[in-house]
Amino acid sequence: MTSTPVRRPAGRRAGVGEPGGWWAFAFIAPAVLGLAALYLWPFLSTVIKSFQDVPAFGPATFVGLGNYTELLGDPEFWKAFGNSALYTAIILLGIPLAVVLAALIEQVGRGRAVYRVLFFLPVVTLPVAIGMVWRFIYNGDFGLLNTVLSWFGVEGRFWVADPRYTIWAFGAVGIWMSLGINMIILGAGLQAIPKDLYEASALDGAGRVRQFRHITVPLLTPSIFFVTILSVIAALQMFDLIFVMLRGVNNTALADSKTIVYLFYEKAFVQFHQGYGAAIAVVLLIVIMIATALQFRLQRSWVFYG
């Protein structure tokens, strides 16, 4: 007498206790273990340390909300927070520029790929290399920028040695660095807009400017929203430029030009106040989460999903 195999209902997948059910877990285990080791455990460790006083040597001691209380009353933190907020606002000003440039490149008949590659080069260039080049350009004594300004009779400035200009100088470099990836994303959004809309509007007498305002920009708002999310997160995490461009002998602008991430690096890895540094990291995470949630909330009023 032969036994009839038990068949599962159609559409039902194998469970953990059924034959073949463990294979799914075996295949995803390397990815899960990698994420847990490289992301989940460091995150939990940082949160735990934010409630402790962790000296360079010796055991850690629990201090509760002491690090957060010290952080919220620290003028240096609020200065760094203001610098990060200003840098983020400057980076957001580069998004309209990316929209215009992406739209112009779409109108180019030949050489479109060349323009995209040229704008994308800063994205694949090491940030340290970019910081070193721009540090030379911004040099107040013999920099290229001041040399060009002198040709027009404009007096140069010490762009990375005067705290009045450092964040703005970083913002200009940040816009230049982000144009490439922003234009690629926006270019993909432009190609998804039906050409029939432009042809119909042209028959109604609409010029290029009106088409850009009433067709291109509204239908591109989902891509603009996505670029905005990425830009805000990247700007709040800015560290490379300030580390490379401001690290020098007796740079008077460093004290007033720190960002949140640079302050975290200084407290945790220079002064070895790891508990305080962990609290800065957790606060930065909360700020990014609030900024992202706020953007998702506000996008309902200006993003058009046609």
Side-chain angles (χ1 to χ4, degrees), residues 70-140:
E70 180 183 355
L71 179 68
L72 296 178
D74 187 359
E76 188 177 17
F77 167 76
W78 291 109
K79 180 65 176 179
F81 181 84
N83 290 335
S84 295
L86 177 58
Y87 177 80
T88 303
I90 296 173
I91 293 300
L92 291 178
L93 294 178
I95 295 180
L97 177 61
V99 173
V100 173
L101 290 176
L104 291 176
I105 290 178
E106 284 297 315
Q107 305 300 321
V108 176
R110 293 182 179 181
R112 183 185 305 173
V114 176
Y115 286 108
R116 288 174 176 169
V117 170
L118 290 176
F119 279 106
F120 195 75
L121 280 178
V123 180
V124 296
T125 306
L126 291 176
V128 174
I130 293 177
M132 294 177 64
V133 171
W134 278 94
R135 182 175 179 175
F136 171 77
I137 294 175
Y138 281 142
N139 188 280

Side-chain angles (χ1 to χ4, degrees), residues 175-191:
I175 291 175
W176 177 74
M177 291 175 58
S178 62
L179 274 179
I181 187 65
N182 290 348
M183 289 174 60
I184 293 297
I185 297 173
L186 295 171
L190 287 170
Q191 294 178 1

Side-chain angles (χ1 to χ4, degrees), residues 3-45:
S3 59
T4 304
V6 179
R7 296 183 178 180
R8 293 187 300 270
R12 182 173 177 267
R13 298 182 179 180
V16 175
E18 300 180 19
W22 289 104
W23 281 106
F25 290 92
F27 279 115
I28 67 173
V32 172
L33 292 176
L35 290 174
L38 299 177
Y39 291 96
L40 182 59
W41 169 244
F43 168 73
L44 294 177
S45 177

Side-chain angles (χ1 to χ4, degrees), residues 8-304:
R8 293 187 300 270
R12 182 173 177 267
R13 298 182 179 180
V16 175
E18 300 180 19
W22 289 104
W23 281 106
F25 290 92
F27 279 115
I28 67 173
V32 172
L33 292 176
L35 290 174
L38 299 177
Y39 291 96
L40 182 59
W41 169 244
F43 168 73
L44 294 177
S45 177
T46 301
V47 173
I48 293 173
K49 285 184 177 180
S50 68
F51 296 100
Q52 297 177 334
D53 180 16
V54 186
F57 302 97
T61 56
F62 180 76
V63 295
L65 297 177
N67 289 323
Y68 293 96
T69 303
E70 180 183 355
L71 179 68
L72 296 178
D74 187 359
E76 188 177 17
F77 167 76
W78 291 109
K79 180 65 176 179
F81 181 84
N83 290 335
S84 295
L86 177 58
Y87 177 80
T88 303
I90 296 173
I91 293 300
L92 291 178
L93 294 178
I95 295 180
L97 177 61
V99 173
V100 173
L101 290 176
L104 291 176
I105 290 178
E106 284 297 315
Q107 305 300 321
V108 176
R110 293 182 179 181
R112 183 185 305 173
V114 176
Y115 286 108
R116 288 174 176 169
V117 170
L118 290 176
F119 279 106
F120 195 75
L121 280 178
V123 180
V124 296
T125 306
L126 291 176
V128 174
I130 293 177
M132 294 177 64
V133 171
W134 278 94
R135 182 175 179 175
F136 171 77
I137 294 175
Y138 281 142
N139 188 280
D141 295 320
F142 51 83
L144 180 61
L145 178 58
N146 284 352
T147 301
V148 173
L149 291 176
S150 65
W151 296 346
F152 301 95
V154 179
E155 183 181 359
R157 297 289 187 270
F158 290 91
W159 304 103
V160 292
D162 191 333
R164 295 176 298 176
Y165 307 114
T166 51
I167 299 300
W168 296 94
F170 295 147
V173 180
I175 291 175
W176 177 74
M177 291 175 58
S178 62
L179 274 179
I181 187 65
N182 290 348
M183 289 174 60
I184 293 297
I185 297 173
L186 295 171
L190 287 170
Q191 294 178 1
I193 299 177
K195 305 300 181 183
D196 299 342
L197 297 177
Y198 294 103
E199 296 174 358
S201 63
L203 293 176
D204 291 337
R208 293 291 180 88
V209 176
R210 291 189 61 187
Q211 289 177 348
F212 180 78
R213 290 179 53 193
H214 299 287
I215 297 178
T216 302
V217 174
L219 295 182
L220 198 60
T221 49
S223 299
I224 296 175
F225 170 65
F226 180 67
V227 166
T228 303
I229 293 289
L230 296 182
S231 298
V232 169
I233 295 176
L236 289 174
Q237 295 177 341
M238 193 272 287
F239 172 75
D240 310 82
L241 290 179
I242 187 172
F243 183 80
V244 175
M245 298 176 66
L246 286 187
R247 295 284 291 185
V249 179
N250 298 326
N251 193 328
T252 57
L254 179 60
D256 294 323
S257 304
K258 300 174 184 176
T259 58
I260 295 180
V261 181
Y262 188 92
L263 185 64
F264 158 74
Y265 158 77
E266 187 178 67
K267 296 295 184 181
F269 300 105
V270 178
Q271 301 177 7
F272 296 103
H273 195 170
Q274 295 184 15
Y276 189 82
I280 295 176
V282 173
V283 170
L284 177 60
L285 173 64
I286 295 174
V287 170
I288 291 177
M289 292 176 61
I290 293 175
T292 304
L294 183 61
Q295 290 177 87
F296 271 96
R297 181 72 176 179
L298 296 177
Q299 59 96 17
R300 302 175 184 177
S301 61
W302 66 274
V303 178
F304 176 75

